[in-house]
Amino acid sequence: CSMEALLKLDQKLAEDEQKIVSSRDELAAAQKTAFTEENMGTIAWLDNFLGRTGSLRAQLRALQGIQDSDFVKQMIKAAGYAFGGGRKGDYPKVGASPYSA
């Protein structure tokens, strides 16, 4: 993963982050006049997502000066797991399962 690719990814994340912030703000404004539980859940999810993308962007910026490409690849892979990129299924689930598969 080249430094140019890291910079491009950071830039794309920043652009998308601004769109999400805008959508979240519009939803929060609408929530003031027409409250729904669904919107509250969506706002919470968007806040969580924005927090994770902020952390990812900080990690990408920290990697920009590192020359060890294997380390950078491992960090990018680890960051992908934070967004569910490595999960196959829903394990581990919280709580007891009502049935066995």
Side-chain angles (χ1 to χ4, degrees):
C1 193
S2 69
M3 287 301 131
E4 295 84 25
L6 288 176
L7 290 172
K8 185 183 267 189
L9 178 58
D10 182 54
Q11 181 180 8
K12 179 65 175 153
L13 285 172
E15 291 169 3
D16 290 348
E17 197 173 81
Q18 288 303 316
K19 292 175 188 174
I20 292 170
V21 166
S22 176
S23 295
R24 187 237 178 261
D25 291 346
E26 289 175 12
L27 190 59
Q31 187 71 348
K32 290 179 182 178
T33 58
F35 180 86
T36 68
E37 288 294 328
E38 181 180 351
N39 285 349
M40 286 301 297
T42 301
I43 290 170
W45 186 91
L46 290 172
D47 287 341
N48 180 285
F49 182 81
L50 289 169
R52 289 186 293 149
T53 56
S55 295
L56 176 59
R57 290 186 60 223
Q59 290 173 4
L60 290 173
R61 285 190 298 273
L63 292 175
Q64 289 176 359
I66 297 175
Q67 299 300 320
D68 183 1
S69 65
D70 288 336
F71 176 74
V72 172
K73 287 178 187 175
Q74 288 177 2
M75 286 300 296
I76 297 296
K77 185 175 180 180
Y81 286 124
F83 287 89
R87 296 185 190 142
K88 300 203 188 309
D90 57 1
Y91 179 82
K93 270 194 159 192
V94 177
S97 176
Y99 61 92
S100 297

Coordinates of all heavy atoms in Angstrom, one line a residue:
C1 N 0.8 -1.2 0.0 CA 0.0 0.0 0.0 C 0.9 1.2 0.0 O 1.6 1.5 0.9 CB -0.9 0.0 1.2 SG -2.2 1.1 1.2
S2 N 0.8 2.0 -1.0 CA 1.7 3.2 -1.2 C 1.2 4.3 -0.4 O 0.1 4.4 0.1 CB 1.8 3.6 -2.7 OG 0.5 4.1 -3.1
M3 N 2.1 5.3 -0.1 CA 1.7 6.5 0.6 C 0.7 7.3 -0.2 O -0.2 7.9 0.4 CB 3.0 7.4 0.8 CG 3.9 6.8 1.9 SD 3.1 6.6 3.5 CE 3.6 5.0 3.9
E4 N 0.8 7.3 -1.5 CA -0.3 7.9 -2.3 C -1.6 7.3 -2.1 O -2.6 8.0 -2.0 CB 0.1 7.9 -3.8 CG 1.4 8.6 -4.2 CD 2.6 7.8 -4.0 OE1 2.6 6.6 -4.0 OE2 3.7 8.4 -3.7
A5 N -1.7 6.0 -2.0 CA -2.9 5.3 -1.7 C -3.5 5.7 -0.3 O -4.7 5.9 -0.2 CB -2.8 3.8 -1.9
L6 N -2.6 5.8 0.6 CA -3.0 6.1 2.0 C -3.6 7.6 2.0 O -4.6 7.8 2.6 CB -1.9 6.0 3.0 CG -1.4 4.6 3.4 CD1 -0.2 4.7 4.3 CD2 -2.5 3.9 4.0
L7 N -2.9 8.5 1.3 CA -3.4 9.8 1.2 C -4.7 9.9 0.5 O -5.6 10.7 0.9 CB -2.4 10.7 0.5 CG -1.1 11.0 1.3 CD1 -0.1 11.7 0.4 CD2 -1.4 11.8 2.5
K8 N -4.9 9.1 -0.6 CA -6.1 9.1 -1.3 C -7.3 8.6 -0.5 O -8.4 9.1 -0.5 CB -6.0 8.3 -2.6 CG -7.2 8.3 -3.5 CD -7.0 7.4 -4.7 CE -6.5 8.2 -5.8 NZ -6.5 7.5 -7.1
L9 N -7.0 7.5 0.3 CA -8.0 6.9 1.2 C -8.4 7.9 2.3 O -9.6 8.1 2.5 CB -7.5 5.6 1.8 CG -8.4 4.9 2.8 CD1 -9.7 4.6 2.1 CD2 -7.7 3.7 3.3
D10 N -7.4 8.6 2.9 CA -7.7 9.6 3.9 C -8.6 10.7 3.3 O -9.5 11.1 4.0 CB -6.4 10.2 4.5 CG -6.7 11.2 5.6 OD1 -7.4 10.8 6.5 OD2 -6.2 12.3 5.5
Q11 N -8.3 11.2 2.1 CA -9.0 12.2 1.5 C -10.5 11.8 1.2 O -11.4 12.5 1.5 CB -8.4 12.7 0.2 CG -9.1 13.8 -0.5 CD -8.4 14.2 -1.8 OE1 -7.5 13.6 -2.3 NE2 -8.9 15.3 -2.4
K12 N -10.6 10.6 0.7 CA -12.0 10.0 0.4 C -12.8 9.9 1.7 O -14.0 10.2 1.8 CB -11.8 8.7 -0.3 CG -13.2 8.0 -0.6 CD -14.0 8.8 -1.6 CE -15.2 8.1 -2.0 NZ -16.3 8.9 -2.4
L13 N -12.1 9.4 2.8 CA -12.8 9.2 4.1 C -13.3 10.6 4.6 O -14.3 10.7 5.1 CB -11.9 8.5 5.1 CG -11.7 7.0 4.9 CD1 -10.6 6.5 5.8 CD2 -13.0 6.3 5.1
A14 N -12.4 11.6 4.4 CA -12.7 13.0 4.9 C -13.9 13.5 4.1 O -14.8 14.1 4.7 CB -11.5 13.9 4.7
E15 N -14.0 13.3 2.8 CA -15.1 13.8 2.0 C -16.4 13.1 2.5 O -17.4 13.7 2.6 CB -14.8 13.5 0.5 CG -13.7 14.4 0.0 CD -13.3 13.9 -1.4 OE1 -13.9 13.0 -2.0 OE2 -12.4 14.5 -2.0
D16 N -16.3 11.7 2.6 CA -17.5 11.0 3.0 C -17.9 11.3 4.4 O -19.1 11.4 4.7 CB -17.2 9.5 2.9 CG -17.1 9.0 1.4 OD1 -17.5 9.8 0.5 OD2 -16.6 7.9 1.2
E17 N -17.0 11.6 5.3 CA -17.3 12.0 6.6 C -18.1 13.2 6.7 O -19.0 13.4 7.5 CB -16.0 12.1 7.4 CG -16.1 12.1 8.9 CD -14.7 12.1 9.5 OE1 -14.1 13.2 9.6 OE2 -14.3 11.1 9.9
Q18 N -17.7 14.2 5.8 CA -18.5 15.5 5.8 C -19.9 15.2 5.3 O -20.9 15.9 5.8 CB -17.8 16.5 4.9 CG -16.5 17.0 5.4 CD -16.8 17.7 6.8 OE1 -17.7 18.4 7.0 NE2 -15.9 17.4 7.8
K19 N -20.1 14.3 4.4 CA -21.5 14.0 3.9 C -22.3 13.4 5.0 O -23.5 13.7 5.2 CB -21.4 13.1 2.7 CG -20.9 13.7 1.5 CD -20.8 12.6 0.4 CE -20.0 13.2 -0.8 NZ -19.8 12.1 -1.8
I20 N -21.7 12.5 5.8 CA -22.4 11.8 6.9 C -22.7 12.8 8.0 O -23.8 12.8 8.6 CB -21.5 10.6 7.4 CG1 -21.5 9.6 6.3 CG2 -22.1 10.1 8.7 CD1 -20.5 8.4 6.6
V21 N -21.7 13.7 8.3 CA -22.0 14.7 9.3 C -23.2 15.6 8.9 O -24.1 15.9 9.7 CB -20.7 15.6 9.6 CG1 -21.1 16.9 10.3 CG2 -19.7 14.8 10.3
S22 N -23.2 16.0 7.6 CA -24.4 16.8 7.1 C -25.7 16.0 7.3 O -26.7 16.6 7.8 CB -24.1 17.1 5.7 OG -25.2 17.8 5.1
S23 N -25.7 14.8 6.9 CA -26.9 13.9 7.0 C -27.3 13.8 8.5 O -28.5 13.8 8.8 CB -26.7 12.6 6.4 OG -26.5 12.7 5.0
R24 N -26.3 13.6 9.3 CA -26.6 13.4 10.8 C -27.2 14.7 11.3 O -28.2 14.6 12.1 CB -25.3 13.0 11.5 CG -25.5 12.7 13.0 CD -24.7 13.6 13.8 NE -24.9 13.3 15.2 CZ -25.8 14.0 16.0 NH1 -26.4 15.0 15.5 NH2 -25.9 13.7 17.2
D25 N -26.7 15.8 10.9 CA -27.2 17.1 11.4 C -28.6 17.4 10.9 O -29.4 17.9 11.7 CB -26.2 18.2 11.0 CG -24.9 18.2 11.7 OD1 -24.8 17.5 12.7 OD2 -24.0 18.9 11.3
E26 N -28.9 17.0 9.7 CA -30.2 17.2 9.2 C -31.2 16.3 9.9 O -32.3 16.7 10.3 CB -30.3 16.8 7.7 CG -29.6 17.8 6.8 CD -29.6 17.4 5.3 OE1 -30.2 16.4 5.0 OE2 -28.8 18.0 4.6
L27 N -30.8 15.1 10.2 CA -31.7 14.1 10.9 C -31.9 14.6 12.4 O -33.0 14.5 12.9 CB -31.0 12.7 10.9 CG -31.9 11.6 11.4 CD1 -33.2 11.5 10.6 CD2 -31.1 10.3 11.4
A28 N -30.8 15.1 13.0 CA -31.0 15.7 14.4 C -31.9 16.9 14.4 O -32.7 17.0 15.3 CB -29.6 16.0 14.9
A29 N -31.9 17.7 13.4 CA -32.8 18.9 13.3 C -34.2 18.4 13.1 O -35.1 18.9 13.7 CB -32.4 19.8 12.1
A30 N -34.4 17.4 12.2 CA -35.8 16.9 12.0 C -36.3 16.2 13.3 O -37.5 16.2 13.6 CB -35.8 15.9 10.9
Q31 N -35.4 15.6 14.0 CA -35.7 14.9 15.3 C -36.3 15.9 16.3 O -37.2 15.5 17.1 CB -34.5 14.2 15.8 CG -34.7 13.3 17.0 CD -35.5 12.0 16.6 OE1 -36.0 11.9 15.5 NE2 -35.5 11.1 17.6
K32 N -35.9 17.1 16.2 CA -36.4 18.1 17.2 C -37.9 18.4 17.0 O -38.6 18.7 17.9 CB -35.6 19.4 17.1 CG -34.2 19.3 17.6 CD -33.5 20.6 17.4 CE -32.0 20.5 17.8 NZ -31.3 21.7 17.6
T33 N -38.4 18.3 15.8 CA -39.8 18.6 15.5 C -40.7 17.4 15.3 O -41.9 17.4 15.5 CB -39.9 19.5 14.2 OG1 -39.4 18.8 13.1 CG2 -39.2 20.8 14.4
A34 N -40.0 16.2 15.0 CA -40.8 15.0 14.8 C -40.0 13.8 15.3 O -39.3 13.1 14.6 CB -41.1 14.8 13.3
F35 N -40.0 13.7 16.7 CA -39.2 12.6 17.3 C -39.7 11.2 17.0 O -40.8 10.9 16.9 CB -39.3 12.8 18.9 CG -38.5 11.8 19.6 CD1 -37.2 12.0 19.9 CD2 -39.1 10.6 20.1 CE1 -36.5 11.1 20.6 CE2 -38.4 9.7 20.8 CZ -37.1 9.9 21.0
T36 N -38.7 10.4 16.6 CA -38.9 8.9 16.5 C -37.8 8.2 17.1 O -36.6 8.6 17.1 CB -39.1 8.5 15.0 OG1 -37.8 8.7 14.3 CG2 -40.2 9.3 14.3
E37 N -38.1 7.0 17.6 CA -37.0 6.1 18.2 C -36.1 5.7 17.1 O -34.9 5.5 17.3 CB -37.7 4.9 18.8 CG -38.3 5.2 20.2 CD -37.4 5.7 21.2 OE1 -36.2 5.2 21.3 OE2 -37.8 6.5 22.0
E38 N -36.6 5.4 15.9 CA -35.8 5.0 14.7 C -34.7 6.0 14.4 O -33.6 5.7 14.2 CB -36.6 4.7 13.5 CG -35.8 4.2 12.3 CD -36.7 3.9 11.1 OE1 -37.9 3.9 11.2 OE2 -36.1 3.7 10.1
N39 N -35.1 7.3 14.4 CA -34.1 8.3 14.1 C -33.1 8.4 15.2 O -31.9 8.7 15.0 CB -34.8 9.7 14.0 CG -35.5 9.8 12.7 OD1 -35.4 9.0 11.8 ND2 -36.3 10.8 12.5
M40 N -33.5 8.2 16.5 CA -32.5 8.2 17.6 C -31.5 7.1 17.4 O -30.3 7.3 17.6 CB -33.2 8.0 18.9 CG -33.9 9.2 19.4 SD -32.9 10.7 19.6 CE -31.8 10.1 20.8
G41 N -31.9 5.9 17.0 CA -31.0 4.8 16.7 C -30.1 5.1 15.5 O -28.9 4.8 15.5
T42 N -30.6 5.7 14.5 CA -29.8 6.1 13.3 C -28.8 7.1 13.7 O -27.6 7.0 13.3 CB -30.7 6.6 12.2 OG1 -31.7 5.6 11.9 CG2 -29.9 7.0 11.0
I43 N -29.2 8.1 14.5 CA -28.2 9.1 14.9 C -27.1 8.5 15.7 O -25.9 8.8 15.6 CB -28.9 10.2 15.7 CG1 -29.8 11.1 14.7 CG2 -27.9 11.1 16.4 CD1 -30.7 12.0 15.4
A44 N -27.4 7.6 16.6 CA -26.4 6.9 17.4 C -25.5 6.1 16.6 O -24.3 6.1 16.8 CB -27.1 6.0 18.5
W45 N -26.0 5.4 15.6 CA -25.2 4.6 14.6 C -24.3 5.5 13.9 O -23.1 5.2 13.7 CB -26.1 3.8 13.7 CG -25.3 2.8 12.8 CD1 -25.0 1.6 13.1 CD2 -24.7 3.1 11.6 NE1 -24.3 1.0 12.1 CE2 -24.1 2.0 11.1 CE3 -24.7 4.2 10.7 CZ2 -23.4 1.9 9.9 CZ3 -24.0 4.2 9.5 CH2 -23.4 3.0 9.1
L46 N -24.8 6.6 13.4 CA -24.0 7.6 12.6 C -22.8 8.1 13.5 O -21.7 8.3 13.1 CB -24.8 8.7 12.0 CG -25.7 8.3 10.9 CD1 -26.7 9.4 10.5 CD2 -25.0 7.8 9.7
D47 N -23.2 8.4 14.8 CA -22.1 8.9 15.7 C -21.1 7.9 15.9 O -19.9 8.2 15.9 CB -22.8 9.3 17.0 CG -23.6 10.6 17.0 OD1 -23.4 11.4 16.0 OD2 -24.4 10.8 17.9
N48 N -21.5 6.6 16.0 CA -20.5 5.6 16.2 C -19.6 5.4 15.0 O -18.4 5.3 15.1 CB -21.2 4.3 16.5 CG -20.3 3.1 16.7 OD1 -19.7 2.6 15.7 ND2 -20.2 2.7 17.9
F49 N -20.2 5.5 13.8 CA -19.5 5.4 12.5 C -18.5 6.5 12.4 O -17.4 6.3 12.0 CB -20.5 5.3 11.4 CG -19.8 5.2 10.0 CD1 -19.4 3.9 9.6 CD2 -19.6 6.3 9.2 CE1 -18.8 3.8 8.4 CE2 -18.9 6.1 8.0 CZ -18.5 4.9 7.6
L50 N -18.9 7.7 12.7 CA -18.1 8.9 12.6 C -16.9 8.7 13.6 O -15.7 9.1 13.2 CB -18.8 10.2 12.9 CG -19.8 10.6 11.8 CD1 -20.7 11.7 12.3 CD2 -19.0 11.0 10.5
G51 N -17.1 8.2 14.7 CA -16.0 7.9 15.7 C -15.0 6.9 15.1 O -13.8 7.1 15.2
R52 N -15.5 5.9 14.5 CA -14.6 4.8 13.9 C -13.9 5.4 12.7 O -12.7 5.1 12.6 CB -15.4 3.6 13.6 CG -15.9 2.8 14.8 CD -16.5 1.5 14.5 NE -17.8 1.8 13.8 CZ -18.3 1.0 12.9 NH1 -17.7 -0.1 12.5 NH2 -19.4 1.3 12.3
T53 N -14.5 6.2 11.9 CA -13.8 6.7 10.7 C -12.7 7.7 11.2 O -11.7 7.8 10.6 CB -14.7 7.3 9.7 OG1 -15.5 8.4 10.3 CG2 -15.6 6.3 9.0
G54 N -13.1 8.5 12.2 CA -12.1 9.4 12.8 C -10.8 8.7 13.3 O -9.7 9.1 13.0
S55 N -11.1 7.6 14.0 CA -10.0 6.8 14.5 C -9.2 6.2 13.3 O -7.9 6.2 13.4 CB -10.5 5.6 15.4 OG -11.1 6.1 16.5
L56 N -9.8 5.7 12.3 CA -9.2 5.1 11.1 C -8.3 6.2 10.4 O -7.2 6.0 10.1 CB -10.2 4.5 10.2 CG -9.6 4.0 8.9 CD1 -8.6 2.9 9.1 CD2 -10.7 3.5 8.0
R57 N -8.9 7.4 10.3 CA -8.1 8.5 9.6 C -6.9 8.8 10.4 O -5.8 9.1 9.9 CB -9.0 9.7 9.4 CG -10.0 9.4 8.3 CD -10.8 10.6 7.9 NE -10.0 11.7 7.5 CZ -10.1 12.9 7.8 NH1 -11.0 13.3 8.6 NH2 -9.3 13.8 7.3
A58 N -7.0 8.8 11.8 CA -5.8 9.1 12.6 C -4.8 8.0 12.5 O -3.6 8.3 12.4 CB -6.3 9.2 14.1
Q59 N -5.2 6.8 12.4 CA -4.2 5.7 12.1 C -3.6 5.8 10.8 O -2.4 5.6 10.7 CB -5.0 4.3 12.2 CG -5.4 4.0 13.6 CD -6.2 2.7 13.7 OE1 -6.4 2.1 12.7 NE2 -6.7 2.4 14.9
L60 N -4.3 6.2 9.8 CA -3.7 6.4 8.4 C -2.7 7.5 8.5 O -1.6 7.4 7.9 CB -4.8 6.7 7.4 CG -5.8 5.5 7.1 CD1 -6.9 6.0 6.1 CD2 -5.0 4.4 6.4
R61 N -3.0 8.6 9.1 CA -2.0 9.7 9.2 C -0.8 9.3 9.9 O 0.3 9.7 9.6 CB -2.7 10.9 9.8 CG -3.6 11.6 8.9 CD -4.1 13.0 9.5 NE -4.8 12.9 10.7 CZ -6.1 12.7 10.9 NH1 -6.8 12.6 9.8 NH2 -6.7 12.6 12.1
A62 N -1.0 8.4 11.0 CA 0.2 8.0 11.7 C 1.1 7.0 10.9 O 2.3 7.0 11.1 CB -0.3 7.2 13.0
L63 N 0.5 6.3 9.9 CA 1.2 5.4 9.1 C 2.0 6.1 8.0 O 2.9 5.5 7.4 CB 0.3 4.4 8.5 CG -0.3 3.4 9.5 CD1 -1.3 2.5 8.7 CD2 0.7 2.5 10.2
Q64 N 1.7 7.3 7.7 CA 2.3 8.0 6.5 C 3.8 8.1 6.6 O 4.5 8.0 5.5 CB 1.7 9.4 6.3 CG 0.3 9.3 5.9 CD -0.4 10.6 5.8 OE1 0.2 11.7 6.1 NE2 -1.7 10.6 5.4
G65 N 4.4 8.1 7.8 CA 5.9 8.2 7.8 C 6.6 6.9 8.0 O 7.8 6.9 8.0
I66 N 5.9 5.8 8.1 CA 6.5 4.5 8.3 C 6.9 3.9 7.0 O 6.1 3.8 6.0 CB 5.5 3.6 9.1 CG1 5.2 4.2 10.4 CG2 6.1 2.2 9.2 CD1 4.2 3.4 11.3
Q67 N 8.1 3.4 6.9 CA 8.6 2.8 5.7 C 8.4 1.3 5.6 O 8.5 0.7 4.5 CB 10.1 3.1 5.5 CG 10.4 4.6 5.5 CD 9.8 5.2 4.3 OE1 9.7 4.7 3.2 NE2 9.2 6.4 4.5
D68 N 8.2 0.6 6.7 CA 8.0 -0.9 6.7 C 6.6 -1.2 6.1 O 5.6 -1.1 6.8 CB 8.1 -1.4 8.2 CG 8.0 -2.9 8.3 OD1 7.8 -3.6 7.3 OD2 8.0 -3.4 9.5
S69 N 6.6 -1.7 4.9 CA 5.4 -1.9 4.2 C 4.6 -3.1 4.8 O 3.4 -3.1 4.8 CB 5.6 -2.2 2.7 OG 6.4 -3.4 2.5
D70 N 5.3 -4.1 5.4 CA 4.5 -5.2 6.0 C 3.7 -4.7 7.2 O 2.6 -5.1 7.4 CB 5.5 -6.3 6.4 CG 6.0 -7.1 5.3 OD1 5.4 -7.1 4.2 OD2 7.1 -7.7 5.4
F71 N 4.3 -3.8 8.0 CA 3.7 -3.3 9.1 C 2.5 -2.4 8.7 O 1.4 -2.6 9.3 CB 4.6 -2.4 9.9 CG 4.0 -1.7 11.1 CD1 3.6 -2.4 12.2 CD2 3.7 -0.3 11.1 CE1 3.0 -1.8 13.3 CE2 3.1 0.3 12.1 CZ 2.7 -0.4 13.3
V72 N 2.6 -1.7 7.7 CA 1.5 -0.8 7.1 C 0.4 -1.7 6.7 O -0.8 -1.5 7.0 CB 2.0 0.1 6.0 CG1 0.9 0.8 5.4 CG2 3.0 1.1 6.6
K73 N 0.7 -2.8 5.9 CA -0.3 -3.7 5.5 C -1.1 -4.3 6.6 O -2.3 -4.5 6.6 CB 0.3 -4.8 4.6 CG 0.8 -4.3 3.3 CD 1.4 -5.5 2.5 CE 2.0 -5.0 1.2 NZ 2.7 -6.0 0.5
Q74 N -0.4 -4.7 7.7 CA -1.0 -5.3 8.9 C -1.9 -4.3 9.6 O -3.0 -4.7 10.0 CB 0.0 -5.8 9.8 CG 0.7 -7.1 9.3 CD 1.8 -7.6 10.3 OE1 2.0 -7.0 11.4 NE2 2.5 -8.6 9.9
M75 N -1.5 -3.1 9.6 CA -2.3 -2.0 10.3 C -3.6 -1.8 9.5 O -4.6 -1.6 10.0 CB -1.5 -0.8 10.5 CG -0.5 -0.8 11.6 SD -1.2 -1.2 13.2 CE -2.2 0.3 13.4
I76 N -3.4 -1.7 8.1 CA -4.6 -1.5 7.3 C -5.6 -2.7 7.4 O -6.8 -2.4 7.5 CB -4.2 -1.3 5.8 CG1 -3.3 -0.1 5.6 CG2 -5.4 -1.3 4.9 CD1 -4.0 1.2 5.9
K77 N -5.1 -3.9 7.5 CA -5.9 -5.0 7.7 C -6.6 -5.0 9.0 O -7.8 -5.2 9.1 CB -5.1 -6.3 7.6 CG -5.9 -7.6 7.6 CD -5.0 -8.8 7.4 CE -5.8 -10.1 7.4 NZ -5.0 -11.3 7.2
A78 N -5.9 -4.6 10.1 CA -6.5 -4.5 11.4 C -7.5 -3.4 11.4 O -8.6 -3.6 12.1 CB -5.4 -4.2 12.4
A79 N -7.3 -2.3 10.8 CA -8.3 -1.2 10.7 C -9.5 -1.7 10.0 O -10.7 -1.3 10.4 CB -7.7 0.0 10.0
G80 N -9.4 -2.6 9.0 CA -10.5 -3.1 8.3 C -11.4 -3.9 9.2 O -12.6 -3.9 9.0
Y81 N -10.8 -4.6 10.1 CA -11.6 -5.4 11.1 C -12.5 -4.6 11.9 O -13.6 -5.0 12.3 CB -10.7 -6.3 12.0 CG -10.1 -7.5 11.3 CD1 -8.7 -7.6 11.3 CD2 -10.9 -8.4 10.6 CE1 -8.1 -8.7 10.6 CE2 -10.3 -9.5 10.0 CZ -8.9 -9.6 10.0 OH -8.3 -10.7 9.4
A82 N -12.1 -3.3 12.2 CA -12.9 -2.4 13.0 C -14.2 -2.1 12.3 O -15.2 -1.8 12.9 CB -12.2 -1.1 13.3
F83 N -14.3 -2.2 10.9 CA -15.5 -2.0 10.2 C -16.2 -3.2 9.7 O -17.0 -3.2 8.9 CB -15.1 -1.1 9.0 CG -14.8 0.3 9.3 CD1 -13.5 0.7 9.6 CD2 -15.8 1.2 9.4 CE1 -13.2 2.0 10.0 CE2 -15.6 2.5 9.7 CZ -14.3 2.9 10.0
G84 N -15.8 -4.4 10.3 CA -16.4 -5.6 10.0 C -15.9 -6.3 8.8 O -16.5 -7.2 8.3
G85 N -14.8 -5.9 8.3 CA -14.2 -6.4 7.0 C -13.7 -7.8 7.1 O -13.7 -8.5 6.2
G86 N -13.4 -8.3 8.3 CA -12.9 -9.6 8.5 C -13.8 -10.6 9.1 O -13.5 -11.8 9.3
R87 N -15.0 -10.2 9.4 CA -16.0 -11.1 10.1 C -16.7 -12.0 9.1 O -17.2 -11.5 8.1 CB -17.0 -10.3 10.9 CG -16.3 -9.5 12.0 CD -17.4 -8.9 12.9 NE -16.7 -7.9 13.8 CZ -17.1 -6.8 14.1 NH1 -18.3 -6.3 13.6 NH2 -16.5 -6.0 14.9
K88 N -16.8 -13.2 9.4 CA -17.6 -14.1 8.7 C -18.7 -14.7 9.6 O -18.5 -15.5 10.4 CB -16.8 -15.3 8.1 CG -15.7 -14.8 7.2 CD -15.2 -15.9 6.3 CE -14.1 -15.6 5.5 NZ -13.8 -14.5 4.8
G89 N -19.9 -14.1 9.5 CA -21.0 -14.4 10.5 C -21.1 -13.4 11.5 O -20.5 -12.3 11.4
D90 N -21.8 -13.7 12.6 CA -22.1 -12.7 13.6 C -21.4 -13.1 15.0 O -21.8 -12.6 16.0 CB -23.5 -12.5 13.8 CG -24.3 -13.7 14.1 OD1 -23.7 -14.8 14.2 OD2 -25.6 -13.6 14.2
Y91 N -20.5 -14.0 15.0 CA -19.8 -14.4 16.2 C -18.8 -13.4 16.6 O -18.1 -12.9 15.8 CB -19.1 -15.8 16.0 CG -18.4 -16.2 17.3 CD1 -19.1 -16.8 18.3 CD2 -17.0 -16.0 17.5 CE1 -18.5 -17.2 19.5 CE2 -16.4 -16.3 18.6 CZ -17.1 -16.9 19.6 OH -16.5 -17.3 20.8
P92 N -18.6 -13.0 17.8 CA -19.4 -13.4 19.0 C -20.7 -12.6 19.2 O -20.6 -11.4 19.0 CB -18.5 -13.3 20.2 CG -17.6 -12.1 19.7 CD -17.5 -12.2 18.2
K93 N -21.7 -13.2 19.5 CA -23.0 -12.4 19.8 C -23.0 -12.2 21.3 O -22.5 -12.9 22.1 CB -24.2 -13.2 19.4 CG -24.6 -13.0 18.0 CD -26.0 -13.5 17.8 CE -26.6 -12.8 16.6 NZ -28.0 -13.0 16.4
V94 N -23.7 -11.1 21.6 CA -23.9 -10.8 23.0 C -25.1 -11.6 23.5 O -26.2 -11.6 22.9 CB -24.1 -9.3 23.2 CG1 -24.4 -9.0 24.7 CG2 -22.9 -8.6 22.7
G95 N -25.0 -12.2 24.6 CA -26.2 -12.9 25.3 C -26.3 -14.3 24.8 O -25.6 -14.8 23.9
A96 N -27.2 -15.0 25.4 CA -27.5 -16.4 25.1 C -28.3 -16.6 23.8 O -29.2 -15.7 23.5 CB -28.2 -17.1 26.2
S97 N -28.1 -17.6 23.1 CA -28.8 -17.9 21.9 C -30.1 -18.6 22.2 O -30.0 -19.5 23.1 CB -28.0 -18.7 20.9 OG -28.7 -19.0 19.8
P98 N -31.3 -18.3 21.6 CA -32.5 -19.0 22.0 C -32.6 -20.4 21.4 O -33.4 -21.2 21.8 CB -33.6 -18.1 21.4 CG -32.9 -17.4 20.3 CD -31.5 -17.2 20.7
Y99 N -31.6 -20.7 20.5 CA -31.7 -22.0 19.9 C -30.2 -22.4 19.4 O -29.4 -21.5 19.3 CB -32.6 -22.1 18.7 CG -32.2 -21.1 17.6 CD1 -31.4 -21.5 16.5 CD2 -32.6 -19.8 17.6 CE1 -31.0 -20.6 15.5 CE2 -32.3 -18.9 16.6 CZ -31.5 -19.3 15.6 OH -31.1 -18.4 14.6
S100 N -30.0 -23.6 19.1 CA -28.7 -24.1 18.6 C -28.8 -24.4 17.1 O -29.8 -24.9 16.7 CB -28.3 -25.3 19.3 OG -28.1 -25.0 20.7
A101 N -27.8 -24.1 16.4 CA -27.8 -24.3 14.9 C -27.2 -25.7 14.6 O -26.4 -26.2 15.3 CB -27.0 -23.3 14.2

